[in-house]
Amino acid sequence: VRAGLISVVLFGQLADAIPLPTLSKRDLRHPVAQQEATRWTQRLNDWGVEITRDELIDRGLAVGNAANGFRKAVLRPWYPLRRATGTGQSWGLFAFPEPHAGRLVVRGRALEGDWETLFSAPNGDGRLGELLRFRRVRGIYDDAADRPKPGTLWPRFSRWVAAEVLAERPDFDEVEVRVDLIHVVPPGGGPADPDRVYHARLELRSELAAGAAASP
Amino acid sequence: MRALRSWVGLWDVREHPRSLALVRILMAAVLLWDFAQVLQLDLVVPLFGPLEAGGLGNPLGRKQPPLLYELLPATAGVAQGTVLAVVGLSATLMVGLLPRLSAALLVVLLAQLALVLPPADRGIDMLVRNTLVVLAFSRCGDTLSLGPRLQTGSWPGSIPHGSIRSTCSPSSGRSPPGCGSGARRSCSWPIGTATRPIDRAACAPGSTA
């Protein structure tokens, strides 16, 4: 019985932890995935394997679907326990090398005044800097800001940051919260793309005061 | 049968109680530090409160809301109370007062807080909960712990079951001192002396305990 229980637990943890290629079409739309698909097609062709890029993607998706289905089937009975305890093995640390990293930038100004940069990750002073560098808060914008569509959390986050800034700086009337996409190039990787502004939001004191901050 | 015994033997290894106690103390210290920062930065409601109370997450808008806000009203007060409970349990875990119960309750509360705003729950937080589950099922409170100190009046507290075998038993194979007579015995441990009830299994004929 003991041997059986140990085996069941180990198998469950292994199924959860093993890096199965659980790919979806959305994942493969990412520029990094596109680059990797091209690179692997070229590599396989060099090794004498005749395959096109589209065929490789189709096979990747088929394997991904099967792997995903297998993992879900194995873990389904444990779902209530995993949810109640928040435990599992699906923790990713540095799992994804993102060449277009997002940098959170917060600026503020009085109406028609000059912009003052208050935070440009990871640099920022005072309470705002402490808040935005805190690991749990960083998780919010790291998770949402780099995505093509950051979802409903980004406007909420932006309004919350703006409210924090405006509470500390009564001289400001506007706050801009945005992400600068920075192209990280490995040594010998050619010139970097220029920085791009992503998801810029302008928050006005008048609107926040009118209660917009409380809306989802 | 031999293969099964080997398989069990491969995985069923008792960790040294001091290692477990150190993990318990350090893990609780990390949690205390983390939540002290949450409190100091006034982040309880933004991170763990419901949207309606000023939170950044929308736990009630989800198909399966966290149990915390299903059982209790979704208010800022509940978020604050839960965080204070986490701080209190981290403190009891660190000093070793009901450490297993503290670890088990911490797992449940931390999991509920994680469900309020999932992006604020990082990979390391899941690892912390995994470790707390292990601590809840371990003898992590048997040494470097206040609970046994209060019970026995001596540091470092009870010696765990597995360690008695190596510290109290004579190598000649005789029964351990105290077998069949007193209900308790003293054992020496590298960092002190402790008393615990005699393990009857250790007195069985042929036992080397």
Side-chain angles (χ1 to χ4, degrees):
Chain A
V1 174
R2 202 172 176 78
L5 286 172
I6 288 173
S7 303
V8 167
V9 169
L10 284 175
F11 181 69
Q13 299 299 313
L14 185 70
D16 197 6
I18 196 167
L20 293 172
T22 49
L23 293 171
S24 67
K25 277 188 179 169
R26 197 186 69 175
D27 296 329
L28 287 169
R29 278 202 294 269
H30 195 283
V32 177
Q34 296 283 334
Q35 286 170 13
E36 287 295 312
T38 305
R39 192 179 302 170
W40 273 100
T41 307
Q42 185 62 49
R43 194 171 292 169
L44 288 169
N45 290 342
D46 291 347
W47 290 342
V49 180
E50 288 298 320
I51 192 166
T52 65
R53 190 170 165 280
D54 289 342
E55 285 171 346
L56 182 66
I57 286 177
D58 286 343
R59 285 194 196 181
L61 285 173
V63 172
N65 285 336
N68 209 13
F70 169 75
R71 193 199 299 271
K72 277 185 179 170
V74 169
L75 297 179
R76 190 169 294 126
W78 306 101
Y79 178 74
L81 182 68
R82 285 155 51 90
R83 184 175 160 79
T85 57
T87 53
Q89 299 295 338
S90 56
W91 40 273
L93 300 179
F94 316 112
F96 195 78
E98 173 58 89
H100 290 91
R103 169 180 286 161
L104 181 72
V105 176
V106 180
R107 304 192 303 169
R109 68 173 183 178
L111 274 181
E112 307 302 323
D114 292 331
W115 286 107
E116 184 181 332
T117 301
L118 305 166
F119 184 83
S120 177
N123 304 308
D125 298 325
R127 176 176 154 76
L128 185 71
E130 277 187 61
L131 267 182
L132 296 177
R133 275 191 299 271
F134 183 51
R135 64 179 198 93
R136 288 183 182 271
V137 176
R138 223 169 55 227
I140 300 170
Y141 60 83
D142 278 351
D143 188 68
D146 291 354
R147 296 181 183 181
K149 290 182 182 173
T152 53
L153 187 53
W154 180 246
R156 263 185 247 148
F157 175 76
S158 168
R159 284 195 292 266
W160 174 69
V161 171
E164 290 286 336
V165 170
L166 294 173
E168 275 200 3
R169 294 291 299 262
D171 53 319
F172 283 171
D173 295 297
E174 298 176 348
V175 175
E176 183 194 54
V177 181
R178 67 166 204 248
V179 171
D180 286 353
L181 278 192
I182 299 160
H183 189 199
V184 181
V185 185
D193 299 340
D195 292 357
R196 276 187 292 155
V197 174
Y198 223 40
H199 309 319
R201 285 184 61 87
L202 188 65
E203 308 291 352
L204 306 177
R205 183 183 288 279
S206 53
E207 286 181 5
L208 289 175
S215 64
Chain B
M1 284 305 285
R2 195 173 168 184
L4 287 179
R5 256 190 233 111
S6 302
W7 175 245
V8 171
L10 179 67
W11 295 103
D12 186 15
V13 178
R14 302 288 172 92
E15 186 52 74
H16 195 287
R18 264 180 302 168
S19 314
L20 290 168
L22 287 173
V23 171
R24 186 197 85 227
I25 292 165
L26 294 173
M27 183 69 65
V30 167
L31 283 170
L32 278 173
W33 176 255
D34 189 34
F35 280 89
Q37 280 191 295
V38 168
L39 288 166
Q40 185 240 325
L41 293 170
D42 204 12
L43 282 170
V44 174
V45 175
L47 294 183
F48 304 122
L51 182 64
E52 295 74 10
L56 288 168
N58 186 15
L60 299 181
R62 239 170 279 140
K63 208 189 295 177
Q64 210 177 350
L67 208 57
L68 177 71
Y69 290 134
E70 282 191 320
L71 298 177
L72 298 170
T75 60
V78 168
Q80 283 155 347
T82 309
V83 166
L84 289 178
V86 165
V87 171
L89 289 166
S90 301
T92 56
L93 181 69
M94 187 158 81
V95 299
L97 276 175
L98 300 175
R100 297 169 70 170
L101 180 65
S102 301
L105 290 175
L106 268 174
V107 168
V108 174
L109 291 185
L110 290 172
Q112 292 303 307
L113 292 180
L115 289 170
V116 176
L117 182 57
D121 189 70
R122 317 298 299 265
I124 196 73
D125 294 299
M126 181 177 275
L127 283 175
V128 166
R129 289 190 294 272
N130 288 351
T131 310
L132 286 171
V133 169
V134 174
L135 290 179
F137 287 97
S138 78
R139 310 290 300 261
C140 65
D142 282 1
T143 189
L144 302 176
S145 181
L146 204 57
R149 158 75 178 166
L150 294 176
Q151 282 181 336
T152 64
S154 63
W155 293 102
S158 299
I159 300 294
H161 182 82
S163 59
I164 290 177
R165 294 181 185 178
S166 56
T167 56
C168 303
S169 59
S171 56
S172 62
R174 285 182 291 128
S175 293
C179 280
S181 52
R184 303 179 81 81
R185 65 173 169 173
S186 277
C187 294
S188 64
W189 182 246
I191 52 171
T193 304
T195 306
R196 67 170 290 117
I198 292 294
D199 177 11
R200 293 293 165 196
C203 301
S207 166
T208 56

